[in-house]
Amino acid sequence: MSRRVLVLGGAHLDRRGRISGDTAMGASNPGAWMEEIGGGAFNVARNLALLGHQVTMGSPRGGDMTADKIAAAAEAAGVIDRPFVFLDRATPSYTAILEHDGNLVVALADMDLYRLFGPRRLQVRALRQSIEEAELIVCDANLPAETLTALCAAASLAGVPVAGIAISPAKVVRFSAALPALGYLFMNAAEAAALCGTQAATAATWPVHLRRKGLRAGVVTDGGHKLAAFDAAESLTMAPPPLTYTADVTGAGDALAAGTLDALLRHKELPEAIRCGIAASRITLRSPHAVAPDLTPDALDDETTLVGTPQKVF
């Protein structure tokens, strides 16, 4: 069941350096570099395309070779690429240092170009048409706050649900004014705390805090610990099954969002959708890439059988 999905937000160069042994802060560490195309919105776009949906991606790009690489990555994943090109600018980039087990040490995000995706861009005829024709819109917090608010308003008028990707604790607050208009927001515990201004005592209390902020539905992850998910009908918690091997954590949250949204687009209820999201993240965690090339509908179905059942929060 293929759905039309419009994705707006980050698509940029990901550089990841992985330390070979124990991390020595403030010192030179042996390791290796890897470069690939990433970005929260773009990762979700490619995952949804791999799962069989008709996905159109819009993001700001510079006039450089990185922009060409993004276009090639979109084509390889089956994503319809509709960039906003600024020929005199450099395409954004994200540089991360990872520990030998794949966990993040520190990262630097050079994302200034995304500021130029202002609300007026939404008035471009082709983009207005894409918004009206979409069955789901996904956006990430790389976009300016005023653009996210305007996008949610335009989508609401068109009757199209919007899902948000938090990106980071510093950026998730850009969704604040748009929270009541969001269909879903995907975030980790640090991002949820930044949005709410408080830390939840347990995973089960995140829905309470987030509903008070105006969010109707969302998912809060916490690494290998319990995640929380909620919509208008129910609240759930679930601990992801442990993995014996993790290649890289990059993109796992984006895969969880894509797997969950894929299930919701196929009219599955929240408990089953969360199981599918966790399954997609497990496939990605075992891959050295931010988007696992072996993520397919059949692989996702097989992996979902290994995921348990969420618990309802009363």
PDB file of all heavy atoms in Angstrom, residues 48-61:
ATOM      1  N   LEU A  48      11.269   5.483   4.177  1.00  0.00           N
ATOM      2  CA  LEU A  48       9.885   5.334   3.728  1.00  0.00           C
ATOM      3  C   LEU A  48       9.832   4.916   2.258  1.00  0.00           C
ATOM      4  O   LEU A  48       8.963   4.126   1.862  1.00  0.00           O
ATOM      5  CB  LEU A  48       9.117   6.639   3.940  1.00  0.00           C
ATOM      6  CG  LEU A  48       8.750   6.953   5.392  1.00  0.00           C
ATOM      7  CD1 LEU A  48       8.142   8.346   5.491  1.00  0.00           C
ATOM      8  CD2 LEU A  48       7.771   5.919   5.949  1.00  0.00           C
ATOM      9  N   ALA A  49      10.765   5.435   1.451  1.00  0.00           N
ATOM     10  CA  ALA A  49      10.812   5.020   0.047  1.00  0.00           C
ATOM     11  C   ALA A  49      11.200   3.552  -0.066  1.00  0.00           C
ATOM     12  O   ALA A  49      10.621   2.805  -0.870  1.00  0.00           O
ATOM     13  CB  ALA A  49      11.803   5.891  -0.725  1.00  0.00           C
ATOM     14  N   LEU A  50      12.165   3.107   0.747  1.00  0.00           N
ATOM     15  CA  LEU A  50      12.556   1.696   0.732  1.00  0.00           C
ATOM     16  C   LEU A  50      11.408   0.787   1.164  1.00  0.00           C
ATOM     17  O   LEU A  50      11.333  -0.369   0.753  1.00  0.00           O
ATOM     18  CB  LEU A  50      13.762   1.479   1.655  1.00  0.00           C
ATOM     19  CG  LEU A  50      15.096   2.069   1.171  1.00  0.00           C
ATOM     20  CD1 LEU A  50      16.146   1.973   2.266  1.00  0.00           C
ATOM     21  CD2 LEU A  50      15.576   1.363  -0.088  1.00  0.00           C
ATOM     22  N   LEU A  51      10.503   1.343   1.972  1.00  0.00           N
ATOM     23  CA  LEU A  51       9.348   0.566   2.436  1.00  0.00           C
ATOM     24  C   LEU A  51       8.168   0.668   1.473  1.00  0.00           C
ATOM     25  O   LEU A  51       7.069   0.193   1.788  1.00  0.00           O
ATOM     26  CB  LEU A  51       8.941   1.022   3.841  1.00  0.00           C
ATOM     27  CG  LEU A  51       9.946   0.659   4.946  1.00  0.00           C
ATOM     28  CD1 LEU A  51       9.571   1.310   6.268  1.00  0.00           C
ATOM     29  CD2 LEU A  51      10.060  -0.851   5.103  1.00  0.00           C
ATOM     30  N   GLY A  52       8.401   1.306   0.324  1.00  0.00           N
ATOM     31  CA  GLY A  52       7.410   1.243  -0.738  1.00  0.00           C
ATOM     32  C   GLY A  52       6.550   2.456  -0.966  1.00  0.00           C
ATOM     33  O   GLY A  52       5.630   2.420  -1.796  1.00  0.00           O
ATOM     34  N   HIS A  53       6.828   3.572  -0.277  1.00  0.00           N
ATOM     35  CA  HIS A  53       5.993   4.758  -0.434  1.00  0.00           C
ATOM     36  C   HIS A  53       6.538   5.695  -1.511  1.00  0.00           C
ATOM     37  O   HIS A  53       7.732   5.658  -1.835  1.00  0.00           O
ATOM     38  CB  HIS A  53       5.868   5.492   0.903  1.00  0.00           C
ATOM     39  CG  HIS A  53       5.225   4.645   1.964  1.00  0.00           C
ATOM     40  ND1 HIS A  53       3.871   4.375   1.978  1.00  0.00           N
ATOM     41  CD2 HIS A  53       5.757   3.973   3.016  1.00  0.00           C
ATOM     42  CE1 HIS A  53       3.594   3.586   3.006  1.00  0.00           C
ATOM     43  NE2 HIS A  53       4.720   3.328   3.652  1.00  0.00           N
ATOM     44  N   GLN A  54       5.663   6.540  -2.043  1.00  0.00           N
ATOM     45  CA  GLN A  54       6.056   7.543  -3.029  1.00  0.00           C
ATOM     46  C   GLN A  54       6.468   8.801  -2.271  1.00  0.00           C
ATOM     47  O   GLN A  54       5.621   9.546  -1.786  1.00  0.00           O
ATOM     48  CB  GLN A  54       4.901   7.855  -3.982  1.00  0.00           C
ATOM     49  CG  GLN A  54       5.242   8.886  -5.040  1.00  0.00           C
ATOM     50  CD  GLN A  54       4.052   9.216  -5.920  1.00  0.00           C
ATOM     51  OE1 GLN A  54       3.270   8.347  -6.276  1.00  0.00           O
ATOM     52  NE2 GLN A  54       3.895  10.491  -6.248  1.00  0.00           N
ATOM     53  N   VAL A  55       7.749   9.037  -2.171  1.00  0.00           N
ATOM     54  CA  VAL A  55       8.280  10.085  -1.306  1.00  0.00           C
ATOM     55  C   VAL A  55       8.909  11.199  -2.128  1.00  0.00           C
ATOM     56  O   VAL A  55       9.743  10.948  -3.006  1.00  0.00           O
ATOM     57  CB  VAL A  55       9.329   9.514  -0.331  1.00  0.00           C
ATOM     58  CG1 VAL A  55       9.832  10.604   0.609  1.00  0.00           C
ATOM     59  CG2 VAL A  55       8.740   8.355   0.467  1.00  0.00           C
ATOM     60  N   THR A  56       8.506  12.436  -1.818  1.00  0.00           N
ATOM     61  CA  THR A  56       9.115  13.627  -2.410  1.00  0.00           C
ATOM     62  C   THR A  56       9.863  14.372  -1.316  1.00  0.00           C
ATOM     63  O   THR A  56       9.323  14.586  -0.221  1.00  0.00           O
ATOM     64  CB  THR A  56       8.052  14.553  -3.028  1.00  0.00           C
ATOM     65  OG1 THR A  56       7.361  13.847  -4.055  1.00  0.00           O
ATOM     66  CG2 THR A  56       8.690  15.798  -3.616  1.00  0.00           C
ATOM     67  N   MET A  57      11.113  14.752  -1.578  1.00  0.00           N
ATOM     68  CA  MET A  57      11.962  15.422  -0.586  1.00  0.00           C
ATOM     69  C   MET A  57      12.298  16.829  -1.036  1.00  0.00           C
ATOM     70  O   MET A  57      12.691  17.056  -2.178  1.00  0.00           O
ATOM     71  CB  MET A  57      13.260  14.627  -0.408  1.00  0.00           C
ATOM     72  CG  MET A  57      14.283  15.262   0.515  1.00  0.00           C
ATOM     73  SD  MET A  57      13.844  15.053   2.261  1.00  0.00           S
ATOM     74  CE  MET A  57      14.819  16.369   3.011  1.00  0.00           C
ATOM     75  N   GLY A  58      12.116  17.811  -0.131  1.00  0.00           N
ATOM     76  CA  GLY A  58      12.517  19.180  -0.395  1.00  0.00           C
ATOM     77  C   GLY A  58      13.447  19.679   0.692  1.00  0.00           C
ATOM     78  O   GLY A  58      13.135  19.565   1.880  1.00  0.00           O
ATOM     79  N   SER A  59      14.609  20.209   0.302  1.00  0.00           N
ATOM     80  CA  SER A  59      15.563  20.735   1.284  1.00  0.00           C
ATOM     81  C   SER A  59      16.479  21.751   0.624  1.00  0.00           C
ATOM     82  O   SER A  59      16.702  21.703  -0.589  1.00  0.00           O
ATOM     83  CB  SER A  59      16.409  19.601   1.886  1.00  0.00           C
ATOM     84  OG  SER A  59      17.262  19.059   0.900  1.00  0.00           O
ATOM     85  N   PRO A  60      17.037  22.696   1.401  1.00  0.00           N
ATOM     86  CA  PRO A  60      18.006  23.647   0.850  1.00  0.00           C
ATOM     87  C   PRO A  60      19.326  22.961   0.544  1.00  0.00           C
ATOM     88  O   PRO A  60      19.789  22.115   1.312  1.00  0.00           O
ATOM     89  CB  PRO A  60      18.175  24.668   1.981  1.00  0.00           C
ATOM     90  CG  PRO A  60      17.022  24.465   2.892  1.00  0.00           C
ATOM     91  CD  PRO A  60      16.687  23.005   2.785  1.00  0.00           C
ATOM     92  N   ARG A  61      19.926  23.301  -0.578  1.00  0.00           N
ATOM     93  CA  ARG A  61      21.239  22.768  -0.974  1.00  0.00           C
ATOM     94  C   ARG A  61      22.131  23.905  -1.451  1.00  0.00           C
ATOM     95  O   ARG A  61      21.660  24.939  -1.918  1.00  0.00           O
ATOM     96  CB  ARG A  61      21.115  21.783  -2.143  1.00  0.00           C
ATOM     97  CG  ARG A  61      20.055  20.744  -1.987  1.00  0.00           C
ATOM     98  CD  ARG A  61      20.509  19.508  -1.255  1.00  0.00           C
ATOM     99  NE  ARG A  61      19.331  18.672  -1.001  1.00  0.00           N
ATOM    100  CZ  ARG A  61      18.785  17.884  -1.904  1.00  0.00           C
ATOM    101  NH1 ARG A  61      19.320  17.770  -3.105  1.00  0.00           N
ATOM    102  NH2 ARG A  61      17.705  17.183  -1.617  1.00  0.00           N
TER     103      ARG A  61
END
